[in-house]
Amino acid sequence: MTAFRLPSQSRLASVALAIALLAALLHFPRQIDVFVRPIMPVVRLWFTPDAQHRAHLGDIPYDLLQAANALLPRDATVLLVTSGTDVRRFEYITFHRALYYLAPRPVWWLSPAPSDGSWEARWWIPAPLTPDAVRTVARYKGATHLLAVALDRDLAPGRHLATWDGGYLAVLDSEPSAAPPVTVPNSPLLYRLAMTPLALAVIFVWGHAFLVASSRRRPRPGRIEAAALAWILGCGLVSLAMLALNAIGLSLGTQIRMLTLPAAAYALYSLARGATRASVPLGVRLRRLASGPRIPSLLSACLAAFLALQVLLFVAVVAVGQPLYAWDSWTSWGLKARTILLEGRISPAVYADPSRASTILYYPLSVSLIEAWIYGWIGAPDDRLVGVTTLFYYLGLAGVCYAAVRRRGASGTFALAVAAVVASMPQLALLAGIVFADLPLAALMAVAAVYLLEWIDDGSPAALTIAALAAGLLPWTKREGLLLLAALATATLVATWWVHAGDRGARLRRAWHAIGACLLAAALLAGPWWLFIGRQGVMADSSDFLPLTLDTLRANVARLPFVLSEVGKNLLRIDWSFVWPLALLVAVWPWRPTLSLARRTRRRLSAMLPITAGLYLGVMTAGYLFSSFVPFQAHFASTFYRLAAHVVPLVVLWVAYVALDRQDASP
């Protein structure tokens, strides 16, 4: 009787990838039903922007806020007064929409609702609806105008500028300002559509120029890899250049011109040079045409079709088919981008206005600056078009994963399958659609880890350059980027120490060089922003965490069972295509070390990918013990899935690397 033999770890990894892809495929119809079908009435209004915004906002007074913006002087400070009857939904959203549409003016919010210590209650000023109370609060906040919404009580001692069914606008100053209102650019829709590709093209050109400069002693990346890296790194380079040009006093329009002209010159030079080098004899071109294109396999065609469905029917519709709708997308990054456009620069309204503390004033401006770049090009703060930025980050992430496994010797079909697993995970696809900074952060993290691993493995200077730039951009994209960088550095040392003793010395030296390069890049690229914002004194005012002390830990340690339970439930959901439990199964599966020494070394080095993910999620899970949200469970529900998204591509890549090792296994 033949003894039962467990399948190899590499074969199990292949099965795990297939299961993850099947789970995503089965979940895709639900994605459409839950996220796409309900918004189709709004999407159909795309070519009538005002009607689309009204439908999108529902009962939030879009027209009232637009009219108030047209009447308020530019230097006004607004006191928004609401009735307190629906303080956690209608009034809370209206306050943030007032910050958005009345930017760059400060807006304060008065409501008669008592404060209960919750997160939302931080942002309203509890006071009775009496003229005396309104006068007192207005004087304290320096308000010059009162905007009443869903309130028919006359609380303004000054004259009314306008009255609507949903409220009124009144002057509180005895000497009203003579400053003009804010002029909101409003170019024709066809102009916006024509300019958007040009705005994106300049970013690609800057990223491509960096790749060419860094790859002189390395084979040029393939088209998919080059396009993916050009966008991911180009966004970081352009946003940093905008920050530097802003620091020397140049306006947004001047920044765009100064970055576009050299990009255009470089593009023309590259095209001319490429045309000269690519001259092919006529006979060769005729033979190529006669041979026809290579027909892809049926499996490759199916994988490509599934990716196309994800992009066209889900991500593109959610990201570009409607105005920014997810909370942070417009209250944080979108609001800052709109303010930069209207001010023509990064003014204190972006990072130092206490009335905007809810927008997290200290957040890095990488995403907001790229959105402002789009706004500047199209001549309007059309927040429906900035979703194309995360759509390209999404495609770039898939492209990086495809290229990473191709360089490991994978076939095109296998590499396409890995890219499809990453891109089809419902949570990642959703983050691309809702236009948060988390998808850019995940893409940068994948680039940093993949090329850091390549540098340690074969010592390619180009790989180190790419990894260092991506790592340096992590804390410039989001504050969690610094923790991601720390987790990656720690995991790199752990994995390098684990390799065979004969190979350890050289690789350990490369690991230290890489860590030093990444930390130096982070200090040079992101350090100036964090030093500047530290001097503004706004971090404590808008922090969502309690002091990191032992007393806080002892007071909140009872949260730990709930947090650990919720982490487990979250990672086991089909929204991750079961990638997390499948990867854990592969990790604990018995490993028969039948690989060649070189393959065994690469296997152990690649362990830095799941180690990074584990370290990062462990630290971030512990962070919920210090959350200042009331209730803290809401903080977990709204953020943990975004944290997991930062590192889940690393887990998929590691499983793919394990699956590729079977070709060297003994029979």
Side-chain angles (χ1 to χ4, degrees):
M1 184 175 179
T2 305
F4 174 75
R5 186 177 182 183
L6 290 173
S8 66
Q9 189 186 37
S10 57
R11 189 172 298 278
L12 178 65
S14 298
V15 173
L17 291 173
I19 293 172
L21 192 56
L22 180 61
L25 181 62
L26 295 176
H27 193 266
F28 184 65
R30 185 175 181 275
Q31 286 177 257
I32 300 298
D33 283 338
V34 172
F35 296 105
V36 176
R37 203 178 302 278
I39 67 171
M40 286 312 296
V42 174
V43 174
R44 294 190 187 102
L45 298 171
W46 202 91
F47 288 97
T48 53
D50 283 333
Q52 189 181 43
H53 278 84
R54 291 187 195 98
H56 169 69
L57 293 180
D59 61 348
I60 305 303
Y62 171 75
D63 289 318
L64 184 152
L65 293 173
Q66 294 282 19
N69 183 61
L71 293 171
L72 284 165
R74 187 181 192 92
D75 58 357
T77 296
V78 181
L79 180 64
L80 175 72
V81 181
T82 58
S83 64
T85 56
D86 189 7
V87 71
R88 296 192 180 279
R89 191 197 67 82
F90 173 81
E91 297 168 44
Y92 185 71
I93 298 174
T94 298
F95 165 63
H96 285 86
R97 283 295 177 183
L99 285 172
Y100 189 78
Y101 288 117
L102 303 184
R105 308 172 187 92
V107 180
W108 298 97
W109 173 25
L110 183 151
S111 171
S115 177
D116 57 4
S118 65
W119 175 260
E120 295 89 346
R122 291 184 180 192
W123 314 121
W124 77 73
I125 302 167
L129 294 180
T130 64
D132 287 342
V134 169
R135 236 186 332 260
T136 300
V137 173
R139 192 180 305 115
Y140 176 65
K141 294 300 184 182
T144 60
H145 291 73
L146 182 146
L147 178 62
V149 174
L151 189 67
D152 55 7
R153 195 178 309 178
D154 189 356
L155 301 170
R159 62 185 178 87
H160 287 204
L161 292 179
T163 302
W164 304 279
D165 289 341
Y168 57 88
L169 177 65
V171 179
L172 295 175
D173 272 0
S174 57
E175 297 181 6
S177 170
V182 174
T183 301
V184 180
N186 189 26
S187 60
L189 183 56
L190 289 178
Y191 177 84
R192 303 177 204 177
L193 294 175
M195 290 296 104
T196 300
L198 297 178
L200 303 176
V202 175
I203 295 174
F204 272 107
V205 170
W206 276 100
H208 180 267
F210 172 82
L211 290 178
V212 170
S214 64
S215 303
R216 295 192 180 279
R217 289 185 292 175
R218 174 182 184 262
R220 294 283 176 85
R223 291 181 180 179
I224 293 177
E225 181 183 13
L229 290 174
W231 175 259
I232 295 170
L233 301 179
C235 283
L237 292 171
V238 168
S239 63
L240 285 169
M242 293 174 71
L243 181 70
L245 294 174
N246 180 88
I248 61 175
L250 299 183
S251 67
L252 176 62
T254 305
Q255 294 167 29
I256 291 174
R257 288 189 291 273
M258 290 194 67
L259 292 173
T260 299
L261 289 175
Y266 173 80
L268 292 174
Y269 169 76
S270 298
L271 289 173
R273 189 178 183 188
T276 302
R277 289 185 170 185
S279 56
V280 180
L282 178 61
V284 174
R285 281 184 283 174
L286 291 175
R287 284 194 296 273
R288 288 179 181 176
L289 289 173
S291 63
R294 185 174 64 86
I295 300 176
S297 68
L298 179 61
L299 179 56
S300 295
C302 291
L303 290 170
F306 183 42
L307 273 174
L309 288 176
Q310 284 280 356
V311 173
L312 298 176
L313 297 185
F314 182 67
V315 178
V317 173
V318 177
V320 188
Q322 60 181 333
L324 294 176
Y325 82 96
W327 191 260
D328 285 358
S329 68
W330 61 272
T331 60
S332 294
W333 302 289
L335 173 56
K336 291 174 182 176
R338 183 182 178 94
T339 305
I340 292 169
L341 173 72
L342 297 177
E343 294 276 74
R345 61 192 178 95
I346 305 171
S347 70
V350 174
Y351 56 81
D353 180 358
S355 77
R356 287 179 168 78
S358 63
T359 68
I360 316 297
L361 295 169
Y362 59 83
Y363 267 7
L365 297 179
S366 176
V367 171
S368 296
L369 282 170
I370 293 300
E371 292 182 357
W373 170 271
I374 302 292
Y375 288 160
W377 265 91
I378 66 178
D382 190 342
D383 61 8
R384 304 169 306 163
L385 291 174
V386 295
V388 74
T389 59
T390 50
L391 173 60
F392 275 101
Y393 270 112
Y394 167 80
L395 294 172
L397 175 60
V400 166
C401 294
Y402 174 90
V405 293
R406 283 289 278 169
R407 281 200 304 279
R408 285 265 179 157
S411 65
T413 300
F414 183 85
L416 192 57
V418 173
V421 170
V422 172
S424 64
M425 271 186 286
Q427 292 287 30
L428 268 184
L430 178 61
L431 281 171
I434 61 180
V435 198
F436 282 2
D438 299 283
L439 207 288
L441 198 66
L444 285 168
M445 187 60 187
V447 172
V450 164
Y451 290 90
L452 190 60
L453 186 57
E454 182 178 328
W455 154 256
I456 295 173
D457 192 31
D458 65 11
S460 165
L464 178 59
T465 304
I466 294 171
L469 176 58
L473 291 172
L474 287 171
W476 168 234
T477 303
K478 212 175 177 201
R479 64 178 176 183
E480 288 85 355
L482 190 57
L483 293 175
L484 283 168
L485 183 55
L488 180 61
T490 304
T492 299
L493 291 176
V494 171
T496 307
W497 189 262
W498 189 33
V499 302
H500 189 270
D503 280 343
R504 187 182 302 152
R507 285 182 167 80
L508 199 56
R509 284 192 296 273
R510 289 179 191 162
W512 280 111
H513 291 159
I515 292 170
C518 291
L519 293 177
L520 178 62
L524 293 176
L525 301 181
W529 168 257
W530 288 106
L531 287 174
F532 171 76
I533 209 67
R535 295 177 60 186
Q536 303 303 313
V538 299
M539 296 188 67
D541 294 337
S542 52
S543 176
D544 43 10
F545 287 96
L546 300 167
L548 302 180
T549 63
L550 286 176
D551 289 339
T552 305
L553 179 61
R554 282 192 290 266
N556 294 332
V557 72
R559 298 178 178 182
L560 191 58
F562 169 85
V563 171
L564 293 178
S565 172
E566 290 301 308
V567 166
K569 291 176 184 177
N570 190 291
L571 297 183
L572 290 173
R573 290 166 56 186
I574 193 175
D575 298 61
W576 296 110
S577 302
F578 302 122
V579 160
W580 296 101
L582 289 169
L584 181 61
L585 179 62
V586 172
V588 301
W589 199 258
W591 175 30
R592 295 189 296 274
T594 56
L595 304 178
S596 64
L597 179 59
R599 279 279 180 176
R600 204 178 312 163
T601 298
R602 295 184 77 182
R603 168 78 71 88
R604 289 177 172 175
L605 281 175
S606 65
M608 65 179 279
L609 302 178
I611 293 173
T612 300
L615 287 173
Y616 178 67
L617 288 185
V619 171
M620 300 312 289
T621 297
Y624 290 106
L625 301 181
F626 299 89
S627 172
S628 63
F629 270 60
V630 179
F632 83 92
Q633 293 88 343
H635 191 190
F636 180 93
S638 63
T639 58
F640 181 78
Y641 76 99
R642 293 153 62 181
L643 301 175
H646 300 161
V647 289
V648 71
L650 307 186
V651 175
V652 176
L653 283 173
W654 175 75
V655 174
Y657 290 167
V658 172
L660 288 171
D661 283 338
R662 74 168 176 267
Q663 64 189 47
D664 281 356
S666 61

